[in-house]
Every structure is written in structure tokens, then in C-alpha cells.
Amino acid sequence: MPEPLTELERGVLDCVIEYVQRHMYPPTVREIGATLDIRSTRSVSDHLRSLERKGWIERTRSRSRGIRVITTPGSRGTAAVRVAFEPAQPADAGWMQRALARARAAQETDEVPVGALLVRDGVVLAEGGNLTRTLSDPTAHAEMVVIRKAAVLEAGGRLLETTLYVTLEPCAMCAGAIVLAKIDRLVYATGDPRTGMCGSLGNIVQDRRMNHRVRMTAGVLEDEATTLLRGFFRARR
């Protein structure tokens, strides 16, 4: 469990969480200071470093918005969300580029731009993008499309020793499918503070009560995926 928070640290953490829920990306140090009326950016940075040291957030490579919440305070008796992220592997960026290509292809058919692919030993078993509108099927998320394709090729539908790359953090449905398929590793580009269940709102894929837990890496080509999604939704406003 992460270490206890001071009142000011809890205020900074709550500010970050609320900002992400509204905007789908984290605030800058200056935006946190303006919201909490903390005039010194150094003071805000000190609180962020303390939150990272205590296990509540991690700082990413992005200079301006380099904050990712990895543990959220429980409410009404619920437990905090604990997430174990692993560092990216050398091949991850290349595979994520391919997933992003699938996301862009989905956008061309008026789908939300999310792409995914499943890899084992350097070989792509299946790849695809969102098809919810094309198929009039709310379950046809990119992850589900890929898992269904790959499961046909595997005896018993178990996708052992595979890595799933997806451009957006999986929702509860997709996270559950990842566990049921026994996928070994999940790599996603950008978090989803509204429906993400692999670190944002919860962490189904690493829940100790499940009979399978998934290794996880986040933030691979995060800026590219975020820009793609943000542009899609802005064009619809």
C-alpha cells in the first residue's frame, strides 16, 4: 500500500485526478498551482515528488504533463487501486506504431480511433480497430476484435504467452476478456480516466482475486495516441 498523505498532498492528488477526469490528460504544474492557489511552482513540484516517492503517482517523460496516477484513494470504504507497471521493452514502440496505424484506419471509417494487435514471439496473431459503429455492436472494441480473431486460432481460446498492444487503456469489458484469455502482458499508449479499468478507475487485470494476472506497461507512444483521440472528439464538437 502507498504511504499516507498529508492534507496538502491529498489536495494535489485530488486536483490531478479531477483534472484528468474532465480533460482526459493531466494538468501542468502551473495549472495545479492555479487551481489550489499555490503560487510557487517549486512547491507544487515538491508535492508531486513526494506523491511519487510515496507510491501514488509516477512522473513520465513528458515535460509539460508528465504525471500518471497509479494509485487512487478509496472512497466509501473501497480499497485503493494499486497498479504495477513495468518499463517498456525495446520492441514496444514499433508494435504500438502498428496499433496506431489500425487506430487511424478505424478513424477513416468514422470509428473512435483505437487500434490493437496481439503478438507472440515477434509474430502478429491478430490486429484490428474499433468496429462498434460499423457492426452496430457495443462490444466490438479493438481489443475484443483482436482477441476474438486470435482465439479462433488457439485450442481452447487461451492466448498464453502473448502481448496485447492497444492505443487506449482497456475498459472493464476488455480487461475482463484479457484475463479470461490468459494474455500474459498488456501494453497501452494512453490512459482512459473515464472508463479505464487497467489503472485509472480500477485494475481488473492485476486484481489478486482473479485466477490470472497480467503484466502491464503504459505510456508507450502516449502523446501520439492522445493527440489522435483528442483530434477526433474535437472535430465532433
Side-chain angles (χ1 to χ4, degrees):
M1 291 295 293
E3 297 179 29
L5 299 173
T6 66
E7 185 176 348
L8 278 174
E9 289 169 347
R10 177 61 184 260
V12 171
L13 181 62
D14 287 344
C15 175
V16 172
I17 293 170
E18 290 171 7
Y19 191 99
V20 168
Q21 289 174 341
R22 290 197 306 269
H23 302 280
M24 293 191 68
Y25 51 87
T28 63
V29 171
R30 292 186 181 278
E31 287 166 338
I32 295 171
T35 301
L36 299 178
D37 197 24
I38 302 175
R39 297 183 179 181
S40 170
T41 56
R42 178 176 294 181
S43 178
V44 175
S45 295
D46 287 344
H47 290 311
L48 291 172
R49 280 192 289 270
S50 181
L51 287 170
E52 183 174 30
R53 187 180 66 254
K54 291 183 176 182
W56 292 92
I57 67 170
E58 67 175 359
R59 306 297 293 273
T60 68
R61 294 180 181 179
S62 171
R63 292 182 180 180
S64 60
R65 299 186 184 275
I67 305 168
R68 181 180 297 111
V69 177
I70 59 174
T71 307
T72 57
S75 61
R76 297 185 180 180
T78 61
V81 177
R82 185 63 178 169
V83 187
F85 286 120
E86 297 180 356
Q89 297 180 8
D92 287 346
W95 293 123
M96 191 61 75
Q97 283 285 10
R98 188 158 169 172
L100 281 166
R102 283 294 185 169
R104 295 186 185 100
Q107 183 177 25
E108 291 176 0
T109 61
D110 203 34
E111 295 279 358
V112 176
V114 179
L117 67 151
L118 193 72
V119 178
R120 177 191 286 145
D121 295 330
V123 177
V124 176
L125 301 182
E127 57 187 312
N130 264 358
L131 291 174
T132 56
R133 299 182 183 185
T134 301
L135 300 179
S136 297
D137 180 358
T139 72
H141 289 188
E143 303 96 304
M144 299 298 293
V145 170
V146 167
I147 289 171
R148 287 166 178 159
K149 285 181 180 179
V152 173
L153 306 175
E154 300 293 318
R158 301 292 180 86
L159 303 175
L160 302 172
E161 300 178 353
T162 59
T163 298
L164 178 67
Y165 293 89
V166 59
T167 57
L168 180 66
E169 178 185 354
C171 67
M173 172 185 68
C174 297
I178 290 166
V179 172
L180 292 173
K182 308 292 185 184
I183 290 170
D184 179 63
R185 182 169 177 252
L186 167 66
V187 181
Y188 65 82
T190 186
D192 185 350
R194 296 180 180 176
T195 64
M197 289 299 291
C198 298
S200 292
L201 299 183
N203 188 14
I204 290 174
V205 297
Q206 293 180 341
D207 193 309
R208 294 183 179 181
R209 296 166 293 184
M210 297 290 187
N211 64 357
H212 176 74
R213 285 175 289 282
V214 181
R215 296 160 51 214
M216 192 157 53
T217 299
V220 177
L221 302 188
E222 180 178 12
D223 290 344
E224 290 91 329
T226 301
T227 299
L228 183 63
L229 284 162
R230 195 179 301 162
F232 176 83
F233 288 113
R234 280 179 178 170
R236 294 177 167 273
R237 291 176 183 170

